Every structure is written in structure tokens, then in C-alpha cells.
Amino acid sequence: MNYSTPKNKIIEEINLIPEDKLIELYDLIHGFRLTLKLSENNVNEIMKFAGCWQDLSEEEFTDFSQEIEQRRQNSSIHLK
């Protein structure tokens, strides 16, 4: 069995941390894990839209592109 895995190295380091500092370490690890989870959720949400335009005809794509450009121009007028 390989005792030098990253997880085992982390556990060895944790065992060297004074008890009164473990809550700080817990907060750090917990926050890191939550950030990873949120990041994964964001990627999954974004990927739902990947390729959603590939079935558009050239004409539909052109119309869509022009509509986006028009909306951008309209929104920039309202911001001024």
C-alpha cells in the first residue's frame, strides 16, 4: 500500500496542527470544497447551452446575430 498519497500526506500534516488551530483549517478546507462545488455547478449550467445553435439555418443565425446587435445598441443608448 502506498502511504505517500496526497490524501495521506494531508492527514499527516493535519495531525501536526495544534488543536486550537483546527477550526481555522476546517474553515479553509470547507470553503475550498464549496468553491469547487460551485465552480462545477457553473460549468454544468454553461455546458447545457453548448451547441444549442448548431441546428440554426444560416438565415436564422444571421437574423439572430442582427437581433443581438440591435439589442446591444438599444441597451447602450439606455445606459447613457
Side-chain angles (χ1 to χ4, degrees):
M1 178 178 248
N2 183 1
Y3 290 103
S4 295
T5 66
K7 192 172 191 175
N8 285 332
K9 288 180 179 181
I10 290 169
I11 291 170
E12 287 174 18
E13 290 294 330
I14 289 171
N15 288 330
L16 298 173
I17 306 257
E19 284 288 322
D20 63 327
K21 297 295 182 181
L22 289 177
I23 193 68
E24 293 176 47
L25 180 59
Y26 170 80
D27 290 342
L28 176 72
I29 293 170
H30 185 70
F32 181 78
R33 186 180 59 78
L34 291 178
T35 301
L36 287 175
K37 187 174 183 177
L38 288 174
S39 178
E40 289 172 5
N41 289 341
N42 286 342
V43 168
N44 291 337
E45 286 297 312
I46 291 168
M47 291 308 290
K48 285 181 183 178
F49 298 103
C52 66
W53 296 345
Q54 72 186 30
D55 294 333
L56 291 179
S57 69
E58 189 66 35
E59 181 181 352
E60 290 171 319
F61 181 75
T62 301
D63 290 345
F64 180 69
S65 297
Q66 289 171 350
E67 182 180 341
I68 289 174
E69 182 61 35
Q70 184 62 45
R71 288 181 182 204
R72 286 180 180 163
Q73 289 174 1
N74 288 344
S75 67
S76 66
I77 291 170
H78 294 294
L79 293 175
K80 292 180 181 178

